[in-house]
Each structure stands twice: as C-alpha cells, then as structure tokens.
Amino acid sequence: CISPLNLGHFDVVYSAHLLNYFKNEHDLLKAYKSMYDQTKYGGFSAGVMVNPDMYYIYDIHDYSIYRKYGFQPRIIDKFSMPIVVEYDLFYENKHLLSFENFIWQREFHEKQILKAGFRNFEWINPILDSNFEDVNGFFDVFLKFPPTS
C-alpha cells in the first residue's frame, strides 16, 4: 500500500517509470490521485511509463529486439491482470539487474486517471528531434514498437 507524499503543490508533477510497479488497482489509483492532488490549478502532470501496447497490441514474438537499448523484457504471466513482466537490464552485454513490472491496459490507466480527477489526458509516443538523422537505424525498433509512452 502506498502513502501520498504530500510535498506541496507544484506547477509540474512528473512520474518516471513508477506507475508500472503497482500490481493492484487500488494502489495505482492512489498514485494517480497523489499526482493530481499535488498539481497546482493550471499546472500539469506528466510521466513516462512502459507502453502497454508492447504486451496488448504489438505483435512481438521476440522481445530481444529491445536488447540493443539496454533492456530485454520477459513475460512472466501474460494471463494475469495486470500482465507481469520481468525486465533484465544490460550494459555492454553484461547483465546488471532484473525487476518486475505490472502492465495494465491503456483503457484501465485512462479510467484510473479520470477517477483521480484529471480531465485532459493524452498518450504520447517518443519521437526523434527533427534535426536528428538516424543514419544507422539504431532507433528503428524503438520508433516502430515504442517501449515507452
């Protein structure tokens, strides 16, 4: 169970890869509610999380396609709700650590976001700066099957 941080009210509240650690809907809703409660009127909340489409929509049969970015997911339980995924992190082909994430469907996140009080919400996939030329195709998989949203 999580406890709200109650750090004050801010123009911007940001969450980076924290929302994939909640394996029950009650705690996920509390996290969204905490973000909402700490956002000043007229401010905004933003975050980065695992893209649920990786496990619910994309037709990926081999998650090693992400290894060149330093991680490789492994589905532990595809039939649970949320889906349980273990991530292995690598640096120069050396395994650093593993951790579990709980991947809820997009629609489920959207319902929790609305329940928390947010009214304007959108999913944004990563893009490359228009001045950047990916001549070696390093970001091909990242852009075709974005692992984050």
Side-chain angles (χ1 to χ4, degrees):
C1 186
I2 69 162
S3 298
L5 294 175
N6 296 321
L7 298 174
H9 294 92
F10 302 92
D11 294 321
V12 178
V13 174
Y14 179 74
S15 167
H17 290 288
L18 296 175
L19 298 168
N20 295 115
Y21 288 98
F22 299 106
K23 58 184 171 181
N24 70 63
E25 68 181 271
H26 175 73
D27 286 346
L28 180 63
L29 177 58
K30 283 174 68 174
Y32 279 123
K33 183 76 172 130
S34 181
M35 290 174 68
Y36 177 81
D37 290 345
Q38 294 184 60
T39 304
K40 283 184 182 176
Y41 180 80
F44 70 93
S45 291
V48 175
M49 70 168 69
V50 171
N51 185 349
D53 293 349
M54 283 179 63
Y55 307 102
Y56 292 100
I57 295 177
Y58 299 162
D59 189 21
I60 300 173
H61 300 286
D62 181 5
Y63 288 99
S64 68
I65 61 173
Y66 294 104
R67 181 89 182 249
K68 67 181 179 179
Y69 306 116
F71 71 95
Q72 184 172 337
R74 287 182 289 119
I75 297 175
I76 302 300
D77 186 354
K78 185 169 181 94
F79 301 105
S80 66
M81 181 55 80
I83 291 175
V84 180
V85 178
E86 185 166 278
Y87 284 83
D88 293 313
L89 298 186
F90 299 90
Y91 179 71
E92 295 181 350
N93 268 341
K94 181 180 177 190
H95 184 263
L96 298 177
L97 64 107
S98 300
F99 56 90
E100 278 188 344
N101 271 191
F102 304 95
I103 314 300
W104 297 91
Q105 293 177 327
R106 263 183 199 257
E107 295 80 13
F108 184 80
H109 277 285
E110 292 166 5
K111 286 179 187 175
Q112 300 307 308
I113 289 165
L114 290 172
K115 281 183 191 177
F118 291 106
R119 294 295 166 247
N120 298 316
F121 173 79
E122 66 180 301
W123 293 92
I124 301 173
N125 287 333
I127 59 171
L128 294 177
D129 184 280
S130 61
N131 296 318
F132 179 79
E133 188 177 346
D134 189 17
V135 292
N136 297 321
F138 180 77
F139 291 103
D140 57 347
V141 171
F142 202 91
L143 297 172
K144 184 175 181 180
F145 304 111
T148 61
S149 277

